[in-house]
Amino acid sequence: MSEKLLQIEQKSPQGDWRDSSVEFRKGVMCYSALPKNLKYLGLPNPREWQPFDADWKLPPNWKQIILDGMKERLDKYRSFRLFMDICVRCGACADKCHFYIGSGDPKNMPVLRAELMRSIYRRYFTLTGRIFGALAGGRELTEGIIKEWFYYFYQCTECRRCSVYCPYGIDTAEITMIGRELLNLLGCNINWVLEPAANCFRTGNHLGIQPHGFKDSLDFAAEELSEITGLPFEVPINRKGAEILFIMPSADYFGTPHYYTLLGYLMLFKEIGLDYTVSAFASEGGNFGLFSSHELMKRLNAKVYDEARRLGVKWIIGGECGHMWRVLHQYMDTMNGPADFLEVPVSPITGTRFEHAKSTKMLHIAEFTADLIHHGKLKLDPSRNDRWKVTYHDSCNPARGMGLLEEPRYIIEKTCNHFYEMPENTIREQTFCCGSGSGLGTDENLEMRMRGGFPRANAVKYVKEKHGVNLLACMCAIDKATLPTLLEYWVPDVEVAGVHELLGNALVMRGEKRTTDLRGEPLPAEAVIPAGDDGGAEVAHA
Ligand code: SF4
Ligand code: SF4
């Protein structure tokens, strides 16, 4: 199949781009959300339907609902109105979207994706559009346009790569978000987004794991770490009065390779004697509300702070997650903040005061760990990762969404002897998306995922062929879930790992008796601490 997907023809729109017809076929679309999930979340128009049905069973007044919804959002979000008004069609963004690169579909050019919405704005919300209609770039709002929106707004991973290149800073991801939000008003949503969101309200996490399952998973991880290190481990759950609340994506305690990242966090916390707790209710850092509506995003984010208040912690550390950080960094403050009842994060080990987190009171674990390493608080043996030749994928949300570029690289450089960067125009702010973010990481749309992930995989292939890279490190739960499939398809024999798995491998703990890495592979003989040596670093609490 890869030969077929490589036949990509990037072409300009043929005929009239205003033609809204789209073909829903398996492999390039996601299935609709189940009515039970809409009902659970209190969303309108729950019903049985599928995108390839002729009749989408829209409410009779669907057109008015969309136009009212647009008006409300144009009044509420200045950025939305601005993005509708200021595009000059320079085309700088046109070839920057991984879905356009991988599919060749002109409507996957960010400028044209936005135009699908802009043409309606022009027709109904500008004077020239109301008078001159199509002559002023307007389009009549039809059911065909609703279907076209659904098709293309669920072929955008909200990664924001296009916005990096736009001279006006137009953020097409924000337009996609509004598009999905408007579709929500008609009950047009995908199950891969709404089921995790509904689960999150029911059990506290996207996977629907109940509190006893959460505890079992963490107890299992603690037991396994005891076997690996020869040290006693325990994970504190719902411990009131702890200094720090630790929040992670649920995949960390449920799937691989995420699970090895969890082991890395737990080793770190034990080694430095961190006074922390996890929460069985805020058992999810991710936020699928981001992929659905601002309102849902706000409700899911609030849970983290409610738990911080209930448990009486001083501040919060967040794990390796993507969308958790986009929400935290860009939206939390105006949605649920400022979190005045918490304290500005101060590392209890180094005394570093993290002023940049003074509003959200939440620190990314990579910032926390990099600071520990910088102050010489961890004993690290990078040779324990010598079986890996590592490259780093900047996950879109931590990288572009919050500018977390240096800390993960610093950790990797201190924990691995073999680190190679992918080409410059595919990393840092210019990083290519995995192609499966924003709730599109299902097998239902596998062809489109492989197409969208092609530019990322191609850059991995480059460093694999040049340097023999066999490990792609990243800091996002969606990446860890979807990149293995992508790499298996385009670049076989490259594994995926979290940054804190590498940290856990390299960490020399005091009193450890350890012969394997976190995946159970033997450590190099010279990396094993001889009997009688205490190992570890002296940790002085600030
Ligand atoms: S946000 Fe990402 S997926 Fe969406 S149009 Fe821009 S580059 Fe493409
Ligand atoms: S780069 Fe910005 S201004 Fe230029 S076409 Fe794209 S969205 Fe419009």
Side-chain angles (χ1 to χ4, degrees):
M1 178 141 161
S2 61
E3 284 305 311
K4 185 183 156 210
L5 294 200
L6 277 173
Q7 310 304 315
I8 307 162
E9 198 189 341
Q10 263 91 26
K11 47 186 189 253
S12 305
Q14 305 290 309
D16 191 343
W17 73 270
R18 294 185 192 93
D19 174 9
S20 63
S21 54
V22 282
E23 183 200 352
F24 287 98
R25 66 177 170 84
K26 289 183 179 176
V28 300
M29 48 150 268
C30 299
Y31 291 106
S32 63
L34 296 174
K36 68 168 186 179
N37 291 322
L38 274 76
K39 282 183 198 154
Y40 196 87
L41 293 166
L43 297 176
N45 202 17
R47 71 213 182 279
E48 297 286 350
W49 71 286
Q50 285 302 340
F52 39 73
D53 292 345
D55 180 5
W56 279 24
K57 301 176 189 162
L58 301 179
N61 59 340
W62 67 266
K63 192 168 176 177
Q64 200 53 49
I65 292 174
I66 289 289
L67 293 176
D68 289 350
M70 270 187 90
K71 179 173 183 328
E72 186 189 334
R73 284 156 185 80
L74 286 163
D75 291 344
K76 192 168 167 190
Y77 303 115
R78 190 169 162 268
S79 56
F80 179 38
R81 184 174 286 275
L82 204 65
F83 296 161
M84 290 294 99
D85 275 330
I86 62 174
C87 174
V88 292
R89 322 292 194 285
C90 69
C93 63
D95 60 349
K96 305 303 186 294
C97 175
H98 48 287
F99 282 116
Y100 175 60
I101 296 171
S103 72
D105 182 340
K107 287 190 180 173
N108 270 327
M109 291 179 189
V111 55
L112 207 37
R113 195 188 309 283
E115 202 64 24
L116 305 179
M117 171 82 67
R118 203 174 276 124
S119 53
I120 302 304
Y121 166 74
R122 230 177 266 121
R123 163 65 184 83
Y124 294 92
F125 296 94
T126 67
L127 185 60
T128 48
R130 279 197 290 263
I131 296 171
F132 298 110
L135 284 176
R139 287 195 301 174
E140 292 298 322
L141 182 56
T142 62
E143 278 198 43
I145 285 192
I146 297 299
K147 293 180 178 180
E148 183 191 45
W149 280 7
F150 187 89
Y151 189 81
Y152 288 104
F153 292 141
Y154 284 103
Q155 274 180 24
C156 165
T157 42
E158 303 179 1
C159 78
R160 307 177 71 230
R161 186 170 195 266
C162 49
S163 70
V164 172
Y165 300 89
C166 174
Y168 292 90
I170 293 174
D171 188 346
T172 305
E174 297 266 344
I175 296 170
T176 292
M177 286 164 69
I178 296 288
R180 291 188 184 189
E181 195 164 307
L182 292 171
L183 288 167
N184 252 332
L185 300 176
L186 304 179
C188 299
N189 5 49
I190 66 170
N191 204 50
W192 201 253
V193 169
L194 285 202
E195 181 134 332
N199 283 344
C200 220
F201 280 108
R202 202 176 63 253
T203 66
N205 56 72
H206 290 151
L207 298 170
I209 298 167
Q210 297 185 11
H212 53 280
F214 176 69
K215 182 175 182 326
D216 276 354
S217 297
L218 294 176
D219 286 350
F220 182 83
E223 250 173 61
E224 185 154 19
L225 276 175
S226 295
E227 278 170 28
I228 293 172
T229 64
L231 298 168
F233 271 83
E234 197 180 339
V235 185
I237 302 175
N238 295 341
R239 187 164 67 83
K240 287 196 175 176
E243 181 176 357
I244 293 162
L245 171 63
F246 179 61
I247 305 272
M248 65 193 133
S250 53
D252 282 356
Y253 55 87
F254 189 76
T256 53
H258 313 66
Y259 175 68
Y260 307 117
T261 309
L262 166 68
L263 299 184
Y265 306 144
L266 299 180
M267 288 173 73
L268 174 71
F269 296 162
K270 177 174 176 64
E271 180 60 12
I272 61 173
L274 195 69
D275 178 12
Y276 80 104
T277 185
V278 296
S279 157
F281 177 52
S283 50
E284 178 64 71
N287 190 324
F288 268 49
L290 173 68
F291 312 141
S292 180
S293 72
H294 289 82
E295 192 268 340
L296 209 50
M297 182 195 332
K298 176 177 172 162
R299 282 158 68 193
L300 286 174
N301 170 261
K303 174 184 67 174
V304 171
Y305 287 89
D306 286 349
E307 275 300 86
R309 192 189 295 272
R310 184 179 73 85
L311 294 170
V313 300
K314 290 184 181 164
W315 54 281
I316 308 169
I317 295 180
E320 293 188 12
C321 184
H323 38 299
M324 165 161 75
W325 289 101
R326 172 92 167 274
V327 175
L328 245 295
H329 197 73
Q330 298 192 316
Y331 305 106
M332 178 274 163
D333 209 17
T334 47
M335 284 181 170
N336 294 313
D340 288 338
F341 65 98
L342 295 173
E343 296 179 12
V344 177
V346 175
S347 170
I349 312 301
T350 67
T352 301
R353 187 178 161 88
F354 296 94
E355 283 292 341
H356 65 285
K358 71 179 173 198
S359 180
T360 61
K361 314 292 196 301
M362 188 157 171
L363 197 64
H364 194 291
I365 188 151
E367 298 170 308
F368 181 70
T369 304
D371 176 67
L372 289 169
I373 297 174
H374 179 68
H375 285 90
K377 299 296 183 189
L378 303 178
K379 183 169 177 183
L380 299 170
D381 179 354
S383 77
R384 291 180 171 191
N385 279 314
D386 271 0
R387 75 185 178 102
W388 300 121
K389 291 197 172 174
V390 184
T391 193
Y392 179 64
H393 162 64
D394 290 271
S395 306
C396 300
N397 288 315
R400 268 193 294 272
M402 68 180 290
L404 199 65
L405 305 173
E406 302 307 332
E407 289 85 345
R409 287 180 167 78
Y410 182 70
I411 298 170
I412 293 171
E413 279 164 0
K414 297 291 180 188
T415 55
C416 301
N417 285 321
H418 310 292
F419 174 47
Y420 305 94
E421 291 277 21
M422 287 182 274
E424 204 181 328
N425 62 343
T426 73
I427 57 171
R428 295 177 179 266
E429 290 92 342
Q430 300 181 74
T431 186
F432 270 115
C433 178
C434 63
S436 303
S438 79
L440 304 187
T442 164
D443 290 349
E444 296 161 8
N445 59 340
L446 195 60
E447 178 188 327
M448 194 46 75
R449 278 177 56 197
M450 296 303 104
R451 288 186 182 280
F454 173 64
R456 172 73 299 157
N458 202 32
V460 176
K461 189 162 187 268
Y462 176 82
V463 281
K464 184 189 179 205
E465 288 173 356
K466 189 165 181 192
H467 304 292
V469 160
N470 61 0
L471 188 78
L472 178 62
C474 59
M475 288 201 307
C476 165
I478 287 181
D479 283 338
K480 287 174 202 162
T482 63
L483 284 172
T485 310
L486 184 80
L487 298 184
E488 194 184 325
Y489 187 79
W490 291 114
V491 205
D493 303 322
V494 178
E495 304 276 326
V496 175
V499 170
H500 279 76
E501 176 184 340
L502 298 173
L503 186 277
N505 282 341
L507 186 65
V508 182
M509 300 182 74
R510 280 163 300 167
E512 70 171 20
K513 292 182 185 58
R514 187 170 165 205
T515 56
T516 69
D517 68 13
L518 297 179
R519 298 189 184 201
E521 294 296 323
L523 294 177
E526 60 279 12
V528 176
I529 301 288
D533 187 330
D534 192 32
E538 280 310 307
V539 177
H541 284 242

